[in-house]
Amino acid sequence: MSIAQKLKIARAQFVLSDPFFAMLLLRMPLIESTSTKSMKTNSIVLEYNPEFIKSLTASELTGVLIHEVLHCVFLHFARQKERNLKRWNIACDYAINPVVL
């Protein structure tokens, strides 16, 4: 299965299981990028590393997608301000991951 198909299937499953989050997810174009190790969003686009996507199971991919959508829901991109990017992202991940689980 290609990376594009894997992402398409994961996004389609969201429509059935989590329509609210699916609406947010489907508004973000998917951009292939080898400059990121995994996946990231700036609230406008969703960048992904194809090797990372290839390594994930279907349920892991679902978890990563909802994780990225929750960064947008919690407005993390808008609240960073002058905070250290790496530390801010780690703190935001601590807030998101329990919700994903």
Side-chain angles (χ1 to χ4, degrees):
M1 175 182 325
S2 75
I3 300 299
Q5 289 173 314
K6 193 172 184 178
L7 285 165
K8 185 184 265 187
I9 290 168
R11 288 167 44 138
Q13 289 173 339
F14 260 103
V15 173
L16 299 173
S17 64
D18 296 297
F20 174 76
F21 292 119
M23 179 203 61
L24 299 172
L25 178 65
L26 294 174
R27 290 180 178 265
M28 290 189 282
L30 295 169
I31 308 290
E32 185 176 311
S33 171
T34 55
S35 67
T36 184
K37 292 182 199 174
S38 55
M39 192 175 278
K40 67 181 180 181
T41 185
N42 63 0
S43 81
I44 298 168
V45 300
L46 190 60
E47 290 185 31
Y48 67 91
N49 183 308
E51 292 302 314
F52 175 71
I53 300 300
K54 194 185 303 184
S55 73
L56 300 175
T57 65
S59 62
E60 289 170 336
L61 179 54
T62 299
V64 171
L65 289 171
I66 192 67
H67 175 97
E68 295 303 327
V69 168
L70 287 173
H71 275 299
C72 300
V73 170
F74 294 154
L75 301 174
H76 290 158
F77 59 92
R79 298 182 314 144
Q80 179 190 346
K81 300 189 180 177
E82 272 109 54
R83 294 178 176 104
N84 175 284
L85 175 61
K86 185 175 181 176
R87 293 178 76 190
W88 175 249
N89 192 49
I90 291 169
C92 292
D93 287 349
Y94 277 118
I96 287 174
N97 289 338
V99 176
V100 172
L101 294 174

XYZ file of all heavy atoms in Angstrom:
813
model
N 0.840 -1.173 0.000
C 0.000 0.000 0.000
C 0.891 1.243 0.000
O 1.858 1.329 0.750
C -0.899 -0.027 1.252
C -1.731 1.198 1.422
S -2.793 1.269 2.910
C -3.315 -0.375 3.161
N 0.540 2.211 -0.821
C 1.329 3.439 -0.896
C 1.062 4.325 0.322
O 0.061 4.165 1.027
C 0.994 4.205 -2.173
O -0.263 4.832 -2.052
N 1.951 5.278 0.539
C 1.808 6.230 1.642
C 0.520 7.036 1.450
O -0.229 7.250 2.406
C 3.035 7.175 1.715
C 4.317 6.382 1.929
C 2.848 8.234 2.774
C 4.366 5.577 3.198
N 0.273 7.471 0.224
C -0.932 8.258 -0.059
C -2.195 7.465 0.270
O -3.140 8.006 0.866
C -0.942 8.703 -1.515
N -2.221 6.189 -0.092
C -3.379 5.345 0.207
C -3.544 5.157 1.711
O -4.661 5.199 2.229
C -3.240 3.975 -0.466
C -3.395 4.005 -1.955
C -3.069 2.646 -2.563
O -2.052 2.023 -2.218
N -3.929 2.190 -3.458
N -2.447 4.939 2.397
C -2.483 4.739 3.844
C -3.065 5.971 4.537
O -3.912 5.856 5.429
C -1.064 4.443 4.348
C -0.982 3.916 5.744
C 0.454 3.476 6.047
C 0.556 2.849 7.418
N 1.911 2.375 7.710
N -2.626 7.153 4.117
C -3.145 8.397 4.696
C -4.608 8.615 4.323
O -5.414 9.046 5.149
C -2.296 9.581 4.233
C -0.932 9.698 4.893
C -0.038 10.651 4.116
C -1.075 10.141 6.343
N -4.965 8.294 3.095
C -6.348 8.468 2.645
C -7.290 7.578 3.447
O -8.351 8.018 3.892
C -6.460 8.135 1.158
C -7.838 8.397 0.575
C -7.909 7.952 -0.873
C -7.623 9.133 -1.747
N -7.824 8.840 -3.185
N -6.907 6.344 3.678
C -7.724 5.406 4.448
C -7.857 5.883 5.893
O -8.958 5.885 6.454
C -7.143 3.975 4.383
C -7.321 3.411 2.973
C -7.783 3.071 5.429
C -6.541 2.136 2.711
N -6.755 6.311 6.493
C -6.789 6.779 7.887
C -7.695 8.000 8.021
O -8.497 8.096 8.956
C -5.379 7.111 8.366
N -7.603 8.924 7.076
C -8.454 10.117 7.129
C -9.917 9.756 6.901
O -10.805 10.309 7.550
C -7.969 11.150 6.115
C -6.675 11.798 6.551
C -5.980 12.596 5.483
N -6.856 13.446 4.711
C -6.571 14.681 4.346
N -5.431 15.212 4.692
N -7.397 15.378 3.618
N -10.184 8.826 6.004
C -11.562 8.402 5.744
C -12.171 7.733 6.972
O -13.359 7.927 7.267
C -11.603 7.461 4.549
N -11.384 6.954 7.703
C -11.887 6.310 8.910
C -12.272 7.338 9.970
O -13.187 7.123 10.753
C -10.852 5.327 9.456
C -10.713 4.095 8.589
C -9.581 3.183 9.013
O -8.648 3.586 9.692
N -9.656 1.934 8.587
N -11.586 8.469 9.980
C -11.914 9.544 10.914
C -13.315 10.088 10.670
O -14.010 10.473 11.599
C -10.921 10.701 10.787
C -9.877 10.691 11.845
C -8.608 10.259 11.562
C -10.161 11.115 13.127
C -7.627 10.243 12.528
C -9.192 11.111 14.115
C -7.924 10.675 13.799
N -13.707 10.158 9.422
C -15.034 10.675 9.091
C -16.109 9.851 9.788
O -17.092 10.391 10.293
C -15.254 10.700 7.559
C -16.682 11.068 7.213
C -14.270 11.657 6.907
N -15.901 8.549 9.851
C -16.876 7.666 10.493
C -16.761 7.652 12.014
O -17.768 7.637 12.714
C -16.704 6.239 9.960
C -16.925 6.073 8.459
C -16.555 4.662 8.031
C -18.352 6.410 8.080
N -15.541 7.680 12.532
C -15.358 7.527 13.978
C -15.378 8.846 14.739
O -15.865 8.897 15.872
C -14.062 6.778 14.271
O -12.951 7.534 13.833
N -14.838 9.904 14.176
C -14.719 11.197 14.857
C -14.994 12.337 13.877
O -14.070 13.031 13.456
C -13.314 11.373 15.449
C -13.006 10.368 16.527
O -13.707 10.394 17.549
O -12.080 9.561 16.331
N -16.257 12.549 13.518
C -16.559 13.551 12.482
C -16.067 14.958 12.807
O -15.645 15.685 11.912
C -18.076 13.522 12.358
C -18.571 12.447 13.236
C -17.433 11.874 14.001
N -16.091 15.356 14.073
C -15.628 16.702 14.420
C -14.142 16.859 14.100
O -13.734 17.801 13.426
C -15.878 17.004 15.900
C -15.287 18.313 16.342
C -15.899 19.515 16.000
C -14.109 18.357 17.063
C -15.344 20.732 16.379
C -13.546 19.569 17.454
C -14.166 20.758 17.110
N -13.332 15.930 14.593
C -11.904 15.999 14.328
C -11.602 15.777 12.849
O -10.669 16.357 12.308
C -11.137 15.001 15.187
C -11.165 15.337 16.653
C -11.710 14.467 17.571
C -10.650 16.540 17.099
C -11.736 14.787 18.925
C -10.671 16.874 18.448
C -11.217 15.994 19.361
N -12.408 14.946 12.200
C -12.215 14.702 10.769
C -12.397 15.987 9.980
O -11.647 16.250 9.031
C -13.190 13.642 10.282
N -13.374 16.796 10.355
C -13.605 18.060 9.660
C -12.348 18.931 9.728
O -11.937 19.526 8.745
C -14.793 18.801 10.281
C -15.069 20.128 9.621
S -15.951 21.299 10.660
C -14.853 21.513 12.030
N -11.734 18.990 10.904
C -10.516 19.780 11.061
C -9.359 19.173 10.265
O -8.607 19.884 9.594
C -10.147 19.872 12.538
C -11.175 20.552 13.438
C -10.764 20.408 14.895
C -11.357 22.000 13.063
N -9.225 17.867 10.355
C -8.139 17.168 9.670
C -8.240 17.315 8.155
O -7.247 17.575 7.483
C -8.157 15.685 10.053
C -7.122 14.791 9.389
C -5.719 15.200 9.811
C -7.388 13.341 9.737
N -9.436 17.201 7.619
C -9.610 17.246 6.170
C -9.393 18.630 5.583
O -9.197 18.775 4.379
C -10.996 16.708 5.788
C -11.195 15.222 6.074
C -12.642 14.820 5.801
C -10.236 14.365 5.270
N -9.401 19.651 6.418
C -9.138 21.015 5.942
C -7.652 21.296 5.766
O -7.278 22.286 5.150
C -9.726 22.039 6.908
C -11.228 22.064 6.886
C -11.754 23.089 7.871
N -13.178 23.146 7.828
C -13.875 24.026 7.102
N -13.231 24.918 6.380
N -15.175 24.010 7.113
N -6.808 20.432 6.330
C -5.362 20.644 6.251
C -4.776 19.816 5.099
O -4.860 18.590 5.125
C -4.682 20.248 7.560
C -4.990 21.169 8.701
S -3.976 20.830 10.163
C -4.809 19.393 10.812
N -4.188 20.486 4.112
C -3.520 19.735 3.048
C -2.346 18.934 3.604
O -1.673 19.378 4.532
C -3.018 20.821 2.096
C -3.748 22.059 2.466
C -4.142 21.918 3.905
N -2.124 17.766 3.037
C -0.997 16.917 3.420
C 0.202 17.264 2.548
O 0.102 17.281 1.324
C -1.348 15.444 3.249
C -2.446 14.909 4.157
C -2.877 13.528 3.709
C -1.961 14.876 5.590
N 1.326 17.539 3.191
C 2.549 17.912 2.484
C 3.655 16.927 2.855
O 3.998 16.793 4.027
C 3.018 19.337 2.873
C 1.899 20.359 2.721
C 4.270 19.720 2.097
C 1.486 20.669 1.321
N 4.183 16.238 1.861
C 5.306 15.332 2.110
C 6.554 16.161 2.355
O 6.832 17.113 1.627
C 5.505 14.419 0.902
C 6.557 13.368 1.111
C 6.663 12.411 -0.052
O 5.631 11.886 -0.508
O 7.807 12.201 -0.498
N 7.311 15.802 3.401
C 8.501 16.570 3.753
C 9.512 15.673 4.450
O 9.181 15.026 5.435
C 8.120 17.732 4.677
O 9.262 18.358 5.178
N 10.717 15.680 3.951
C 11.777 14.932 4.631
C 12.499 15.810 5.648
O 13.403 15.345 6.322
C 12.783 14.365 3.617
O 13.285 15.432 2.814
C 12.144 13.303 2.736
N 12.067 17.056 5.783
C 12.699 17.941 6.765
C 12.134 17.728 8.172
O 12.656 18.287 9.130
C 12.520 19.410 6.360
O 11.169 19.779 6.438
N 11.085 16.936 8.289
C 10.557 16.582 9.605
C 10.768 15.091 9.837
O 10.718 14.307 8.888
C 9.063 16.970 9.734
O 8.627 16.677 11.059
C 8.189 16.226 8.753
N 11.009 14.717 11.084
C 11.237 13.303 11.397
C 9.939 12.504 11.371
O 9.944 11.327 11.069
C 11.862 13.153 12.777
C 13.258 13.664 12.897
C 13.756 13.405 14.301
C 14.940 14.260 14.634
N 15.336 14.123 16.030
N 8.839 13.145 11.734
C 7.582 12.416 11.860
C 6.453 13.172 11.167
O 6.265 13.071 9.968
C 7.260 12.181 13.339
O 7.264 13.420 14.053
N 5.703 13.941 11.932
C 4.585 14.707 11.396
C 4.479 15.987 12.205
O 4.780 16.001 13.395
C 3.290 13.882 11.520
C 2.119 14.441 10.761
S 0.675 13.350 10.845
C 1.071 12.176 9.555
N 4.059 17.069 11.554
C 3.878 18.328 12.268
C 2.844 19.176 11.546
O 2.549 18.955 10.371
C 5.199 19.090 12.392
C 5.765 19.594 11.088
C 7.076 20.309 11.316
C 7.651 20.829 10.004
N 8.922 21.509 10.201
N 2.302 20.138 12.279
C 1.354 21.066 11.685
C 1.639 22.478 12.157
O 2.159 22.680 13.252
C -0.103 20.681 12.029
O -0.979 21.558 11.321
C -0.381 20.765 13.510
N 1.286 23.414 11.315
C 1.324 24.827 11.687
C -0.103 25.377 11.750
O -0.312 26.561 11.702
C 2.179 25.626 10.704
C 1.621 25.604 9.290
O 0.593 24.998 9.016
N 2.311 26.251 8.387
N -1.069 24.494 11.787
C -2.516 24.727 11.801
C -3.078 24.978 10.411
O -4.289 25.044 10.252
C -2.922 25.862 12.750
O -2.721 27.124 12.137
N -2.223 25.074 9.414
C -2.694 25.281 8.043
C -2.456 24.035 7.199
O -3.323 23.615 6.452
C -1.990 26.506 7.418
C -2.333 27.759 8.227
C -2.380 26.677 5.951
C -1.492 28.962 7.901
N -1.272 23.459 7.323
C -0.925 22.243 6.587
C -0.442 21.182 7.559
O -0.062 21.483 8.694
C 0.162 22.491 5.511
C -0.292 23.507 4.490
C 1.473 22.891 6.136
N -0.451 19.957 7.101
C 0.041 18.825 7.876
C 1.215 18.234 7.097
O 1.028 17.699 6.007
C -1.071 17.794 8.046
C -0.857 16.658 9.007
C -0.625 17.183 10.413
C -2.052 15.740 8.993
N 2.417 18.403 7.620
C 3.620 17.872 6.975
C 3.946 16.500 7.545
O 3.826 16.292 8.752
C 4.810 18.802 7.201
C 4.722 20.104 6.468
C 5.978 20.934 6.642
O 7.086 20.370 6.795
O 5.837 22.164 6.631
N 4.373 15.604 6.677
C 4.705 14.258 7.136
C 5.935 13.737 6.413
O 6.188 14.072 5.263
C 3.534 13.300 6.922
C 3.233 13.046 5.460
C 3.821 11.988 4.779
C 2.370 13.880 4.749
C 3.569 11.755 3.442
C 2.107 13.663 3.413
C 2.705 12.592 2.765
O 2.461 12.377 1.432
N 6.679 12.918 7.128
C 7.815 12.225 6.547
C 7.294 10.869 6.060
O 6.733 10.101 6.845
C 8.917 12.028 7.588
C 10.143 11.385 7.002
O 10.072 10.346 6.361
N 11.283 12.005 7.231
N 7.445 10.547 4.781
C 6.896 9.292 4.256
C 7.463 8.043 4.935
O 6.736 7.065 5.119
C 7.238 9.332 2.770
C 8.237 10.408 2.598
C 8.101 11.339 3.754
N 8.724 8.084 5.337
C 9.310 6.928 6.024
C 8.660 6.721 7.387
O 8.468 5.589 7.827
C 10.829 7.081 6.161
C 11.564 7.005 4.840
C 11.312 5.701 4.097
O 11.374 4.621 4.722
O 11.053 5.767 2.880
N 8.328 7.809 8.057
C 7.645 7.713 9.345
C 6.260 7.094 9.159
O 5.879 6.183 9.904
C 7.531 9.103 9.975
C 6.732 9.126 11.250
C 7.227 8.564 12.410
C 5.470 9.707 11.280
C 6.489 8.588 13.583
C 4.726 9.735 12.449
C 5.240 9.168 13.597
N 5.520 7.571 8.175
C 4.177 7.045 7.915
C 4.255 5.560 7.579
O 3.445 4.759 8.058
C 3.486 7.824 6.767
C 3.359 9.309 7.111
C 2.123 7.216 6.430
C 2.562 9.616 8.348
N 5.231 5.191 6.792
C 5.410 3.795 6.403
C 5.629 2.901 7.618
O 5.197 1.750 7.644
C 6.600 3.672 5.439
C 6.689 2.357 4.723
C 7.958 2.246 3.871
C 8.047 3.360 2.861
N 9.226 3.218 1.971
N 6.267 3.435 8.652
C 6.607 2.633 9.833
C 5.427 2.427 10.789
O 5.525 1.620 11.716
C 7.757 3.291 10.595
O 7.306 4.449 11.279
N 4.328 3.147 10.591
C 3.213 3.106 11.534
C 2.166 2.060 11.178
O 1.888 1.826 10.004
C 2.516 4.479 11.582
C 3.347 5.673 12.015
C 2.532 6.952 11.884
C 3.849 5.493 13.431
N 1.570 1.488 12.221
C 0.387 0.652 12.012
C -0.799 1.586 11.792
O -0.705 2.805 12.012
C 0.100 -0.225 13.245
O -0.248 0.635 14.339
C 1.294 -1.100 13.615
N -1.934 1.026 11.403
C -3.129 1.842 11.168
C -3.559 2.574 12.439
O -3.883 3.767 12.402
C -4.268 0.968 10.646
N -3.521 1.899 13.582
C -3.944 2.550 14.825
C -2.933 3.599 15.283
O -3.314 4.637 15.832
C -4.206 1.523 15.925
O -3.041 0.808 16.236
N -1.647 3.359 15.050
C -0.636 4.365 15.380
C -0.808 5.612 14.516
O -0.705 6.740 15.013
C 0.772 3.797 15.204
C 1.152 2.779 16.253
C 2.446 2.046 15.927
O 2.834 1.960 14.743
O 3.078 1.543 16.881
N -1.101 5.413 13.241
C -1.324 6.547 12.345
C -2.539 7.352 12.794
O -2.501 8.585 12.816
C -1.495 6.075 10.899
C -1.753 7.153 9.859
C -0.687 8.245 9.898
C -1.848 6.529 8.478
N -3.585 6.666 13.206
C -4.772 7.344 13.735
C -4.394 8.202 14.940
O -4.806 9.355 15.048
C -5.845 6.315 14.136
O -6.220 5.583 12.978
C -7.066 6.978 14.728
N -3.597 7.641 15.837
C -3.167 8.380 17.023
C -2.349 9.607 16.679
O -2.544 10.678 17.259
N -1.451 9.482 15.716
C -0.619 10.621 15.314
C -1.480 11.701 14.658
O -1.297 12.894 14.920
C 0.517 10.163 14.365
C 1.249 11.349 13.772
C 1.488 9.263 15.096
N -2.429 11.301 13.836
C -3.291 12.290 13.179
C -4.126 13.066 14.201
O -4.226 14.292 14.126
C -4.197 11.612 12.147
C -3.490 11.111 10.893
C -4.441 10.273 10.050
C -2.921 12.262 10.081
N -4.720 12.361 15.151
C -5.522 13.058 16.166
C -4.616 13.945 17.022
O -5.007 15.046 17.415
C -6.360 12.088 17.025
C -7.395 12.842 17.845
C -5.529 11.250 17.944
C -8.469 13.489 17.073
N -3.405 13.496 17.292
C -2.435 14.291 18.046
C -2.198 15.634 17.350
O -2.247 16.690 17.984
C -1.132 13.501 18.173
C -0.027 14.235 18.822
N 0.278 14.093 20.154
C 0.865 15.134 18.323
C 1.312 14.876 20.449
N 1.681 15.512 19.351
N -1.966 15.594 16.052
C -1.705 16.831 15.300
C -2.938 17.728 15.256
O -2.826 18.950 15.387
C -1.211 16.509 13.886
C 0.125 15.804 13.849
C 1.253 16.552 14.555
O 1.261 17.804 14.553
O 2.139 15.882 15.108
N -4.106 17.154 15.103
C -5.345 17.947 15.104
C -5.534 18.625 16.462
O -5.947 19.785 16.530
C -6.565 17.074 14.743
C -7.862 17.798 15.014
C -6.495 16.650 13.285
N -5.210 17.922 17.535
C -5.378 18.510 18.870
C -4.431 19.688 19.101
O -4.781 20.602 19.855
C -5.206 17.442 19.949
C -6.380 16.468 20.064
C -6.056 15.344 21.036
C -7.661 17.175 20.464
N -3.279 19.702 18.464
C -2.427 20.894 18.541
C -3.211 22.110 18.029
O -3.113 23.196 18.599
C -1.149 20.729 17.715
C -0.039 20.028 18.411
N 0.549 20.496 19.568
C 0.612 18.875 18.100
C 1.510 19.670 19.943
N 1.566 18.670 19.069
N -3.985 21.908 16.988
C -4.802 23.010 16.437
C -5.968 23.342 17.352
O -6.250 24.523 17.605
C -5.318 22.629 15.056
S -4.021 22.300 13.860
N -6.651 22.322 17.854
C -7.800 22.532 18.735
C -7.397 23.326 19.974
O -8.114 24.233 20.406
C -8.428 21.176 19.147
C -9.457 21.344 20.245
C -9.049 20.495 17.930
N -6.240 23.015 20.539
C -5.769 23.688 21.746
C -5.032 24.997 21.449
O -4.489 25.617 22.352
C -4.865 22.759 22.558
C -5.559 21.562 23.142
C -4.846 20.411 23.416
C -6.920 21.565 23.422
C -5.461 19.291 23.974
C -7.552 20.464 23.972
C -6.829 19.326 24.245
N -4.983 25.382 20.166
C -4.360 26.645 19.742
C -2.895 26.767 20.161
O -2.414 27.854 20.469
C -5.162 27.848 20.252
C -6.614 27.936 19.794
C -7.314 29.093 20.485
C -6.702 28.072 18.285
N -2.193 25.656 20.149
C -0.787 25.690 20.553
C 0.051 26.587 19.654
O 0.952 27.276 20.129
C -0.206 24.274 20.582
C -0.774 23.469 21.698
N -0.761 22.096 21.686
C -1.379 23.823 22.849
C -1.321 21.644 22.805
N -1.709 22.682 23.510
N -0.242 26.590 18.373
C 0.518 27.416 17.431
C 0.370 28.904 17.742
O 1.284 29.682 17.508
C 0.050 27.146 15.992
C -1.417 27.443 15.788
C -1.828 28.691 15.354
C -2.370 26.473 16.057
C -3.174 28.979 15.193
C -3.714 26.754 15.892
C -4.120 28.004 15.466
N -0.769 29.304 18.266
C -1.041 30.720 18.531
C -0.551 31.171 19.902
O -0.414 32.367 20.148
C -2.538 30.989 18.415
N -0.291 30.222 20.789
C 0.074 30.570 22.166
C 1.547 30.418 22.464
O 1.975 30.687 23.574
C -0.754 29.738 23.146
C -2.255 30.019 23.007
C -3.105 29.252 23.984
N -2.721 27.857 24.046
C -2.738 27.136 25.165
N -3.109 27.664 26.302
N -2.389 25.875 25.144
N 2.334 30.014 21.488
C 3.761 29.806 21.746
C 4.473 31.111 22.081
O 5.283 31.162 23.000
C 4.453 29.166 20.546
C 5.925 28.967 20.799
C 6.696 28.562 19.578
O 6.131 28.174 18.577
N 7.993 28.672 19.658
N 4.168 32.140 21.336
C 4.809 33.457 21.495
C 6.332 33.326 21.501
O 6.876 32.743 20.584
C 4.270 34.164 22.722
C 2.770 34.376 22.593
C 2.204 35.233 23.634
C 0.710 35.331 23.351
N -0.008 36.061 24.300
N 7.024 33.842 22.518
C 8.485 33.787 22.528
C 9.047 32.573 23.270
O 10.243 32.538 23.574
C 9.058 35.069 23.134
C 9.242 36.145 22.084
C 8.257 37.271 22.248
O 8.207 37.824 23.351
O 7.543 37.581 21.293
N 8.214 31.623 23.555
C 8.688 30.436 24.263
C 9.638 29.627 23.385
O 9.515 29.627 22.169
C 7.504 29.568 24.670
C 6.603 30.215 25.689
C 5.430 29.289 26.000
N 4.595 29.828 27.034
C 3.408 30.402 26.820
N 2.934 30.524 25.601
N 2.698 30.845 27.833
N 10.544 28.898 24.033
C 11.454 27.998 23.342
C 10.631 26.943 22.601
O 9.839 26.236 23.224
C 12.386 27.351 24.374
C 13.291 26.314 23.771
O 12.858 25.208 23.473
N 14.546 26.676 23.610
N 10.819 26.835 21.288
C 9.997 25.949 20.457
C 10.050 24.497 20.915
O 9.012 23.849 21.058
C 10.406 26.053 18.992
C 9.703 25.100 18.021
C 8.206 25.350 18.009
C 10.275 25.238 16.635
N 11.247 23.988 21.172
C 11.378 22.577 21.559
C 10.682 22.304 22.898
O 9.911 21.353 23.021
C 12.858 22.191 21.638
C 13.065 20.723 21.924
C 14.527 20.348 21.878
C 14.670 18.851 22.154
N 16.044 18.422 22.026
N 10.933 23.156 23.880
C 10.301 22.976 25.197
C 8.794 23.164 25.113
O 8.028 22.453 25.775
C 10.917 23.927 26.206
C 12.379 23.572 26.497
C 13.012 24.518 27.449
N 12.518 24.214 28.791
C 12.728 24.984 29.828
N 13.405 26.106 29.711
N 12.265 24.638 31.013
N 8.345 24.130 24.316
C 6.918 24.376 24.151
C 6.236 23.150 23.537
O 5.183 22.716 24.004
C 6.686 25.618 23.286
C 5.247 25.878 22.970
C 4.650 25.770 21.751
C 4.216 26.293 23.870
N 3.323 26.093 21.840
C 3.031 26.423 23.135
C 4.196 26.568 25.237
C 1.824 26.802 23.710
C 2.996 26.953 25.816
C 1.829 27.070 25.054
N 6.853 22.585 22.532
C 6.262 21.418 21.877
C 6.181 20.227 22.831
O 5.178 19.504 22.854
C 7.043 21.048 20.617
C 6.290 20.057 19.776
O 5.106 20.237 19.494
N 6.955 18.995 19.375
N 7.208 20.033 23.638
C 7.190 18.937 24.619
C 6.072 19.160 25.637
O 5.312 18.238 25.954
C 8.563 18.804 25.316
C 9.606 18.295 24.318
C 8.477 17.876 26.530
C 11.040 18.379 24.824
N 5.942 20.382 26.135
C 4.876 20.689 27.094
C 3.501 20.478 26.473
O 2.599 19.913 27.107
C 5.015 22.130 27.600
N 3.342 20.898 25.229
C 2.058 20.711 24.540
C 1.763 19.233 24.327
O 0.614 18.791 24.455
C 2.066 21.451 23.211
S 2.101 23.245 23.380
N 2.798 18.454 24.019
C 2.613 17.007 23.855
C 2.140 16.363 25.167
O 1.294 15.468 25.148
C 3.892 16.350 23.380
C 4.197 16.668 21.927
O 3.328 17.215 21.210
O 5.335 16.367 21.488
N 2.671 16.834 26.290
C 2.207 16.327 27.591
C 0.726 16.630 27.812
O 0.023 15.853 28.455
C 3.035 16.911 28.743
C 4.339 16.192 28.990
C 5.542 16.856 28.859
C 4.369 14.849 29.353
C 6.749 16.206 29.080
C 5.566 14.193 29.587
C 6.750 14.877 29.452
O 7.936 14.220 29.680
N 0.252 17.743 27.308
C -1.158 18.084 27.446
C -2.030 17.271 26.498
O -3.163 16.915 26.842
C -1.363 19.580 27.174
N -1.523 16.958 25.318
C -2.307 16.273 24.292
C -2.371 14.751 24.479
O -3.427 14.146 24.325
C -1.723 16.576 22.887
C -2.051 17.994 22.496
C -2.237 15.607 21.844
C -1.391 18.415 21.203
N -1.249 14.153 24.788
C -1.194 12.681 24.769
C -2.210 11.993 25.667
O -2.789 10.977 25.253
C 0.227 12.204 25.035
C 1.137 12.487 23.843
O 0.666 12.640 22.731
N 2.415 12.568 24.095
N -2.513 12.489 26.865
C -3.584 11.837 27.645
C -4.952 11.901 26.970
O -5.757 10.978 27.083
C -3.601 12.612 28.967
C -2.237 13.210 29.081
C -1.829 13.513 27.673
N -5.198 12.956 26.220
C -6.469 13.083 25.497
C -6.513 12.052 24.356
O -7.546 11.418 24.134
C -6.652 14.512 24.939
C -7.911 14.622 24.100
C -6.657 15.519 26.078
N -5.403 11.873 23.691
C -5.332 10.899 22.592
C -5.593 9.499 23.125
O -6.363 8.734 22.539
C -3.966 10.949 21.861
C -3.839 9.824 20.864
C -3.769 12.298 21.186
N -4.984 9.180 24.262
C -5.162 7.839 24.844
C -6.584 7.638 25.315
O -7.156 6.590 25.226
C -4.175 7.632 26.000
C -2.713 7.594 25.592
C -1.827 7.531 26.837
C -2.426 6.425 24.677
